[in-house]
Amino acid sequence: MHLKPPSSPKFALALIIVFAAIISLSAQQKPECTVRVTLLQVNDVYQFAPVDNGKRGGLARVLTLKKAIQKESPNTIFLLSGDTISPSVESITYKGAQMIDAWNILGLDYSTFGNHEFDFGPDVLRQRMKESKFKWVAANVIDKKTGKPFGDAPAYVVREFDGVKVGLFGLTLEETKVTSRPGPDVEFLNPCNTAKRMVKEIHAQGIKTVIALTHLSMSEDKEVARCADVDAIIGGHEHSLLESVSGGAPIFKMTADARELGQIDLNISKTTGAVESIDWKIIPVTNDTPDDPEFATLNQKYGALLKELSRVVGRSSVDLEARSAVGRNRETNVGDFIADAFRAATRSDVGLMNGGSIRADELIGAGTLTRRDVLSILPFKNRVVKLEMTGALLRQVLEHGVARSAEDAEPGRFPQVSGVRFTFDGRRPAGSRITELTVNGQPLDDKKTYTLATSDYLAIDYGDGYDMLKSARILIPRERAQLDSDVVQAAIVARKTIAPKTDGRIKRLDQNQKPRTECN
Ligand SMILES: [Zn+2]
C-alpha cells in the first residue's frame, strides 16, 4: 500500500495520533480477542483408586485438580478418550458400573468408546450408557439396525463459550470388531473417511474449531490428523504418555489409569472462530494432591471391595512376568509359579495352565503383592481339578499346547507347566513338535499312568481346543476343586516372599519370531 506524503505537518501529527490510538486500542483489545477453552484429558482409566502402590493416579485427586483448573479457566471440557468399562478386577463384579459412578461424580463431559467398552457385549454397554450423566460421542461406531451411532450416541457435539464454538467428534479402533465383543450388529467405519465427513459437516455450520476425541493407535491418529482438518486429537489406547504433531495438529495421549491429567488450552479467535494457538501442560497425578471430599461417597459404596483388594498377601523380590505376549509363547516365572502351585495343591505329577488364562498383561514390579495383583493375574474364577491319564494322552495334551505356536502370535493354549520338562520346535508339523519330554526327571512312558492338575476350563469345558481331555479320568471334580486364585494366593502366603524364576523347563528351538506388539 502506498501512502501519499502528508500535505502539512498538522495533518501528519493528526495521522500519528490516529495511528497511535489504533495501536493502543488493539493492544488493549488483544486479551479480549481470543477465548480460552480448556480441554482436560484422561484416557484408559480402569480403576478409580490410585495405582503404583498409591503413588499415582486416583480419580479423587483428579477431581481436586479439575476444580482448581476450572476456577482459573471456567471454559473447560473434561474428556475421556475411551477404555474404562473393562478390564479390571472390580469389573469382574460390577461390569464397569463402578467407573460410570466415578465419572458421574467427576463431572466428565464426554467420552468416546474404547475397544474395551464392548468386552461385556453391546447390551451391558447400552446399560452403562444409560447410567452415564455424561455423553458418549461416536462417529464411526454404527448400529447396523438403525444406521446411526451405537446406543444413539451423537456423532459429534458442539459447545459454545463466550461466542466461540467448538465441535467435537468421537472415533474408535476398527479392530474392536474382532478384539472385543460388539456382536454382529455393530460396525466400525474407517476413521480417516469418517473424520473427513465429520469435519465437513461441522465446518458447514460455520464452526471452525474441531477436536477429535479418539481411541485409535498412534499411526491411525496421525493419519486422521493428515486427512482431516482437525485442530487437536485427544487420544488414548497406548497406555503411555505420547505427544505428537501430524498434519499441523497436536495429538495427546496420557499414561493409563490417570497417572497424568492433560490440560490443553485452545486460544480461539473471537473474530474468526479459529484456533490461534494452543498451550498445554501434562499434570502428574500424585499423592501430593489431596482427595476431593466429594469422592468419599464412592469410596463408601465400594469400600469393602477396595479394602479387600488392597490387602497385602505377600511380596515378590523379582518382577513378575504377566504380559500376554510373553506367557503365550514361552515359559515365564509367573507360569511356572502357577503350574507349581496347582501341582503341589493337588499332589499331582504334572501341573498345566494355559497361557491365555493368565492375565494382568503387565510386568508386575517387585514389591508387595495384594489380593488385587492375584486377581488381576487370575480373574476367571477357574477351579483346579485333578485328572488321571496315560503317558500317551499327556504327550497329546502337550503337543496340542504347542500346535499353534508357529501359526499364531499369541496362542492362548500355550502350556505353562510343572513336573515336566520338554523341548519343542515350531518348524515341525503340529502334533509332532515335541522332541524331548521328561516327567519328574524320567522320559515320559506312554503306557504309564500320570496325574495332571489343570483348570476346569481346559479339563471340563475343553477350552482352547483341549478336547482330548475328555478321555481322562477325573479325580478331583470341579465341585470339590479350589479356585485357581485361592491356590496361588495360598502359595504366596505360605512363602511370605516369593522369587520365582524360569528354570528352562520349556525349551523352544524356533525362537526367531518376535512377539507381536501388545494390544491394549
Ligand atoms: Zn484400548
Side-chain angles (χ1 to χ4, degrees):
M1 181 167 83
H2 295 280
L3 283 173
K4 270 186 186 169
S7 53
S8 73
K10 213 174 175 182
F11 180 75
L13 186 66
L15 208 60
I16 287 164
I17 290 168
V18 168
F19 275 141
I22 290 170
I23 289 163
S24 97
L25 192 65
S26 66
Q28 275 168 13
Q29 274 187 349
K30 187 121 196 180
E32 292 163 23
C33 280
T34 60
V35 175
R36 179 167 57 149
V37 175
T38 296
L39 308 177
L40 291 180
Q41 174 188 5
V42 286
N43 49 270
D44 303 84
V45 182
Y46 304 97
Q47 65 178 68
F48 57 79
V51 291
D52 303 340
N53 292 318
K55 291 191 194 95
R56 298 294 295 272
L59 293 186
R61 296 167 184 163
V62 172
L63 183 52
T64 302
L65 293 169
K66 180 202 167 211
K67 284 181 179 173
I69 293 166
Q70 262 178 327
K71 263 190 200 149
E72 189 243 343
S73 182
N75 304 331
T76 295
I77 311 177
F78 187 16
L79 303 169
L80 168 67
S81 315
D83 267 8
T84 193
I85 284 174
S86 166
S88 70
V89 171
E90 289 89 338
S91 282
I92 298 170
T93 310
Y94 297 107
K95 293 194 168 82
Q98 81 286 2
M99 293 308 298
I100 304 299
D101 278 348
W103 296 122
N104 286 344
I105 292 176
L106 253 77
L108 185 72
D109 290 302
Y110 306 103
S111 177
T112 195
F113 299 126
N115 48 311
H116 283 300
E117 260 61 84
F118 290 92
D119 285 1
F120 298 112
D123 293 339
V124 170
L125 178 53
R126 275 194 196 93
Q127 179 58 32
R128 295 293 89 87
M129 290 173 78
K130 278 195 197 118
E131 294 156 5
S132 304
K133 288 182 186 163
F134 54 94
K135 271 204 181 101
W136 295 81
V137 285
N140 73 328
V141 184
I142 305 297
D143 187 334
K144 284 191 207 165
K145 284 184 175 163
T146 62
K148 292 194 291 191
F150 179 82
D152 288 326
Y156 69 92
V157 290
V158 175
R159 291 286 297 269
E160 188 171 345
F161 299 98
D162 293 343
V164 302
K165 286 180 178 174
V166 176
L168 182 140
F169 66 94
L171 290 175
T172 303
L173 282 162
E174 278 178 285
E175 66 177 43
T176 305
K177 182 84 191 160
V178 290
T179 61
S180 188
R181 297 181 184 86
D185 295 330
V186 183
E187 65 178 336
F188 296 81
L189 308 179
N190 177 276
C192 175
N193 294 341
T194 309
K196 273 192 216 166
R197 189 161 50 80
M198 282 299 109
V199 170
K200 207 174 154 194
E201 217 170 297
I202 295 168
H203 279 180
Q205 298 180 39
I207 300 158
K208 302 275 178 51
T209 301
V210 183
I211 305 301
L213 182 64
T214 71
H215 194 85
L216 301 170
S217 68
M218 181 51 102
S219 59
E220 287 172 301
D221 275 319
K222 286 183 174 177
E223 201 189 325
V224 164
R226 282 194 302 270
C227 76
D229 184 13
V230 293
D231 292 286
I233 293 184
I234 305 301
H237 188 60
E238 267 88 356
H239 286 198
S240 45
L241 179 64
L242 299 172
E243 298 161 80
S244 294
V245 176
S246 173
I251 303 168
F252 303 98
K253 305 188 186 217
M254 301 299 122
T255 311
D257 285 318
R259 285 176 176 84
E260 297 107 15
L261 175 66
Q263 178 181 349
I264 295 106
D265 294 328
L266 309 172
N267 304 305
I268 302 172
S269 162
K270 261 190 149 172
T271 354
T272 66
V275 173
E276 275 195 353
S277 65
I278 302 178
D279 303 297
W280 69 84
K281 57 184 165 197
I282 310 295
I283 304 161
V285 181
T286 71
N287 47 7
D288 291 337
T289 301
D291 287 359
D292 186 287
E294 229 187 299
F295 214 78
T297 52
L298 196 76
N299 287 329
Q300 268 161 20
K301 184 170 175 183
Y302 297 102
L305 177 70
L306 289 175
K307 202 174 156 207
E308 165 65 4
L309 292 177
S310 60
R311 190 159 55 86
V312 173
V313 298
R315 290 185 63 79
S316 176
S317 56
V318 296
D319 292 346
L320 297 177
E321 178 55 86
R323 287 175 293 190
S324 299
V326 185
R328 295 169 183 221
N329 277 295
R330 58 180 167 85
E331 179 192 349
T332 60
N333 63 349
V334 168
D336 285 1
F337 189 82
I338 292 171
D340 286 350
F342 281 15
R343 184 168 71 104
T346 56
R347 297 168 198 271
S348 301
D349 298 317
V350 178
L352 185 152
M353 179 60 154
N354 62 312
S357 288
I358 301 171
R359 306 300 270 221
D361 200 14
E362 61 175 329
L363 191 68
I364 299 171
T368 55
L369 290 173
T370 59
R371 175 84 179 137
R372 180 190 288 280
D373 292 321
V374 175
L375 286 174
S376 70
I377 296 170
L378 297 168
F380 295 120
K381 296 186 175 170
N382 286 319
R383 290 181 181 269
V384 186
V385 299
K386 184 177 182 179
L387 306 174
E388 187 183 72
M389 66 190 67
T390 62
L393 183 58
L394 181 56
R395 182 190 299 278
Q396 210 187 321
V397 168
L398 293 168
E399 282 286 3
H400 176 76
V402 296
R404 298 294 302 170
S405 287
E407 290 79 359
D408 295 349
E410 295 181 19
R413 63 172 68 180
F414 184 83
Q416 297 289 341
V417 296
S418 171
V420 291
R421 300 179 74 85
F422 69 89
T423 303
F424 78 100
D425 188 343
R427 292 163 298 193
R428 292 165 63 102
S432 55
R433 286 184 170 165
I434 294 178
T435 54
E436 269 183 79
L437 174 55
T438 60
V439 183
N440 297 319
Q442 301 296 315
L444 176 127
D445 181 344
D446 277 353
K447 294 199 175 64
K448 225 184 125 184
T449 300
Y450 297 96
T451 53
L452 172 75
T454 190
S455 74
D456 57 344
Y457 171 67
L458 303 187
I460 315 287
D461 300 329
Y462 316 120
D464 278 328
Y466 279 87
D467 298 53
M468 74 296 297
L469 288 173
K470 277 177 191 162
S471 43
R473 194 158 82 94
I474 299 170
L475 299 182
I476 299 179
R478 183 185 260 166
E479 297 70 38
R480 287 197 284 116
Q482 287 181 273
L483 283 175
D484 54 1
S485 50
D486 287 348
V487 167
V488 168
Q489 185 171 308
I492 297 168
V493 170
R495 287 164 182 78
K496 292 193 179 74
T497 297
I498 63 167
K501 57 175 191 214
T502 55
D503 54 16
R505 59 185 73 174
I506 302 174
K507 284 201 182 72
R508 182 167 184 174
L509 299 178
D510 60 320
Q511 268 299 20
N512 304 333
Q513 65 177 84
K514 57 173 188 201
R516 199 182 57 177
T517 323
E518 280 171 61
C519 169
N520 298 317

